[in-house]
Amino acid sequence: MALKAVHVSDLPNLVQVPDNAALALSDAVRLFKGVNEDDCDKMKCGCKLPNFVVMGHRGSGMNNMLQSSDHVKKSIRENSILSFNAAVKFPIDFIEFDVQVTRDGYPVIFHDVFILAEYKGAIFEKRVTDLTIAEFLSYGPQKEPGNVGKPLFRKTKDGRIFEWKVEKDDPLCTLQEVMEKVEHPVGFNIELKFDDQMVYTENEFTRVLQAILQVVNKYAQDRPIIFSSFHPDAAQLIRKLQTLYPVFFLTNGGSQIYVDIRRNSLEDAINVCLTGGLQGIVSEVRAIFRNPGAVTRIKESKLSLVTYGQLKWYTCSIVWLLTE
């Protein structure tokens, strides 16, 4: 097997992709197959996949650099229906987005663990999962004409806070709305979002995952679905709770070290998948460059591999080719 990096412009059949959308490639033949081959017939594929699987990260891209002069980073609000439907206009196969569950049991689309707003000149933050659905939807642009929502702010990794302004704004949304309003037949890569600083019981995980599954089972219909999570217990539990949709374990492969050692290397990620019956790994691309031999072990383990992230010497994402 040979491994090589390919620039986006060299990919066949891709005329154009969103400038800040993440690209990923997996062995499409095995993308929906389980670790145990007996599970293959039970998995719900929904469509035939091309050789290259392209995923739009948070739709048309993330707003992670609001302080940047690059308009692409703040063109469309990430994780919004507007962003998702804008991404669908490009030749992509899946949209990736982050799902959390409100205090009263509604799955909503939001990346950050905390939501920031201003009140009487002071910035305050609240945990998304501590909000009710009504409180969550009161932030940002409002669906009803004349209603004014709480202005949103965002904190950078170095602690700076910026008002969350984008060129094309859109209200916050629920998982049900995304299922109903995003154009078919694009698939969804649903990232199950949990707080790295919290310890969850199995009952807490189950409550959250069951709320998400209830919406997916009711509204997904024939749409291709992938579940993914950085939390190994969440990834393994959702595999136990359902067998229709493939589950991938997210890892940065050691770029950041966690207390949970299962998150700290590609070898650990392989073990999480094999012990939990998962279908593949989503790895930060630099981890693959640091440890290219892991790709062979991933393939020998009959797991699929998807990459995310950017390399400093490229202005766009890299995808991986697994070739014999």
Side-chain angles (χ1 to χ4, degrees), residues 271-288:
N271 290 335
V272 168
C273 291
L274 294 179
T275 57
L278 310 188
Q279 282 62 58
I281 294 169
V282 181
S283 173
E284 206 274 338
V285 68
R286 291 175 297 176
I288 302 296

Side-chain angles (χ1 to χ4, degrees), residues 201-233:
T201 65
E202 183 170 340
N203 286 340
E204 289 170 330
F205 275 129
T206 301
R207 179 188 69 83
V208 170
L209 298 179
Q210 290 284 26
I212 294 169
L213 284 172
Q214 184 176 6
V215 174
V216 170
N217 290 337
K218 185 174 182 179
Y219 296 100
Q221 299 178 358
D222 60 348
R223 191 188 295 273
I225 301 289
I226 295 171
F227 289 113
S228 60
S229 183
F230 279 102
H231 202 298
D233 291 331

Side-chain angles (χ1 to χ4, degrees), residues 41-62:
D41 292 338
K42 300 178 183 178
M43 304 300 285
K44 188 171 182 179
C45 297
C47 68
K48 284 188 176 181
L49 296 174
N51 291 332
F52 293 96
V53 177
V54 184
M55 300 187 187
H57 187 218
R58 305 184 203 172
S60 296
M62 57 187 178

Side-chain angles (χ1 to χ4, degrees), residues 112-147:
D112 299 352
V113 173
F114 290 93
I115 191 166
L116 278 67
E118 184 180 30
Y119 180 70
K120 294 185 177 180
I123 302 296
F124 66 93
E125 62 180 24
K126 292 187 177 181
R127 193 180 298 275
V128 171
T129 54
D130 286 342
L131 300 174
T132 65
I133 184 62
E135 290 169 335
F136 174 78
L137 295 176
S138 71
Y139 290 84
Q142 298 296 291
K143 297 181 180 70
E144 297 297 328
N147 288 355

Side-chain angles (χ1 to χ4, degrees), residues 27-209:
D27 184 343
V29 175
R30 294 203 315 272
L31 181 60
F32 286 102
K33 291 190 177 181
V35 174
N36 299 314
E37 293 300 319
D38 292 341
D39 289 341
C40 294
D41 292 338
K42 300 178 183 178
M43 304 300 285
K44 188 171 182 179
C45 297
C47 68
K48 284 188 176 181
L49 296 174
N51 291 332
F52 293 96
V53 177
V54 184
M55 300 187 187
H57 187 218
R58 305 184 203 172
S60 296
M62 57 187 178
N63 310 139
N64 64 329
M65 296 180 66
L66 295 173
Q67 74 278 22
S68 171
S69 59
D70 183 359
H71 80 93
V72 172
K73 301 296 183 183
K74 45 192 176 184
S75 174
I76 305 177
R77 179 172 296 280
E78 69 177 38
N79 275 337
S80 67
I81 292 172
L82 180 64
S83 181
F84 298 155
N85 280 327
V88 170
K89 299 183 186 304
F90 295 92
I92 65 172
D93 305 291
F94 284 83
I95 291 169
E96 181 271 353
F97 52 79
D98 311 273
V99 175
Q100 303 182 60
V101 174
T102 61
R103 178 161 52 89
D104 48 351
Y106 289 85
V108 296
I109 314 302
F110 200 77
H111 175 270
D112 299 352
V113 173
F114 290 93
I115 191 166
L116 278 67
E118 184 180 30
Y119 180 70
K120 294 185 177 180
I123 302 296
F124 66 93
E125 62 180 24
K126 292 187 177 181
R127 193 180 298 275
V128 171
T129 54
D130 286 342
L131 300 174
T132 65
I133 184 62
E135 290 169 335
F136 174 78
L137 295 176
S138 71
Y139 290 84
Q142 298 296 291
K143 297 181 180 70
E144 297 297 328
N147 288 355
V148 179
K150 302 181 184 74
L152 284 167
F153 289 76
R154 201 166 204 184
K155 184 183 293 186
T156 61
K157 289 184 178 180
D158 60 9
R160 291 179 294 165
I161 295 176
F162 295 87
E163 188 170 359
W164 197 339
K165 287 185 175 180
V166 293
E167 295 173 9
K168 299 177 182 178
D169 216 338
D170 204 39
L172 300 181
C173 58
T174 66
L175 179 59
Q176 178 179 333
E177 288 175 312
V178 171
M179 290 284 179
E180 293 177 324
K181 297 180 180 180
V182 174
E183 298 175 19
H184 281 73
V186 69
F188 291 160
N189 176 1
I190 300 175
E191 181 183 336
L192 310 168
K193 194 79 175 181
F194 293 93
D195 187 351
D196 291 337
Q197 307 306 315
M198 290 186 64
V199 176
Y200 298 88
T201 65
E202 183 170 340
N203 286 340
E204 289 170 330
F205 275 129
T206 301
R207 179 188 69 83
V208 170
L209 298 179

